[in-house]
Amino acid sequence: MTVLAKDVRLRGLPSPAAIPGSVELEIEVSGTVVRDRVAAARPDLIATPHPEGFRVRWRKHPHWGCLTLVAGIEDDAIVLTPTALRLGRWTRRPPKRIRPIVLPLPDLPKGLRLNGIRPAEDELALTIAADEWPGRLARIPLPDLLTWLTTAAMTLTLPGFGSRSLP
């Protein structure tokens, strides 16, 4: 996980603090979690994150070839859109009957929004912006919030947050 704070201001006494103008989190989701989520949406496919996008093979006929998908964000879901079909040595545009795969995401707490997605070798990097960090999210200790987000990224589900409540 990577945390990038921008426009950080230091506050002195009586209680010293570093107050960022905005915070961006990058969380890596393992390929296993992504494969499980795609399998739940489309049991006939096996998807693997790849630097070019996603490589998808048919579960019953993995030797036929693969489909390349590009990941995008629409509302509260990751949408995997087909861009190329590789059969043997041939690469073609996919037929229109091959529909995009939609992976719904859990609702993020107020003040956090998913604003980027980047496939890599057997992982998916999600970029989450925390625009309201100095406000409502500042009441949650940073280590607790990072632990919560890491758990959410590892499973692509929302874990409980214990006794603290998210804004």
Side-chain angles (χ1 to χ4, degrees):
M1 177 184 311
T2 306
V3 179
L4 173 66
K6 296 178 182 177
D7 190 23
V8 178
R9 296 167 193 214
L10 301 175
R11 183 177 66 198
L13 297 174
S15 59
I19 304 169
S22 66
V23 174
E24 194 172 90
L25 307 160
E26 185 172 295
I27 301 170
E28 292 83 21
V29 180
S30 77
T32 305
V33 172
V34 174
R35 279 189 288 282
D36 292 346
R37 291 297 298 262
V38 171
R42 294 282 308 271
D44 57 326
L45 300 177
I46 301 169
T48 304
H50 188 271
E52 298 171 7
F54 282 80
R55 294 258 170 94
V56 175
R57 296 190 181 278
W58 289 266
R59 191 171 300 280
K60 289 185 179 180
H61 304 285
H63 58 281
W64 278 4
C66 67
L67 186 63
T68 301
L69 306 173
V70 173
I73 302 168
E74 285 186 17
D75 298 327
D76 56 351
I78 295 173
V79 179
L80 306 176
T81 307
T83 59
L85 176 63
R86 182 181 301 169
L87 299 171
R89 293 185 215 162
W90 298 331
T91 301
R92 301 184 179 263
R93 285 186 15 199
K96 293 190 187 271
R97 71 174 188 265
I98 299 178
R99 310 299 297 166
I101 299 171
V102 178
L103 304 175
L105 292 172
D107 292 332
L108 291 172
K110 290 180 183 178
L112 296 178
R113 63 183 164 78
L114 181 65
N115 67 346
I117 185 168
R118 180 182 45 82
E121 192 64 44
D122 203 33
E123 72 178 20
L124 184 64
L126 302 175
T127 305
I128 298 172
D131 296 325
E132 300 177 22
W133 193 269
R136 300 181 75 187
L137 288 174
R139 291 181 289 184
I140 302 169
L142 181 60
D144 291 347
L145 184 61
L146 294 178
T147 301
W148 185 86
L149 288 169
T150 301
T151 304
M154 297 300 285
T155 61
L156 284 179
T157 59
L158 284 180
F161 200 66
S163 60
R164 291 184 177 83
S165 62
L166 288 170

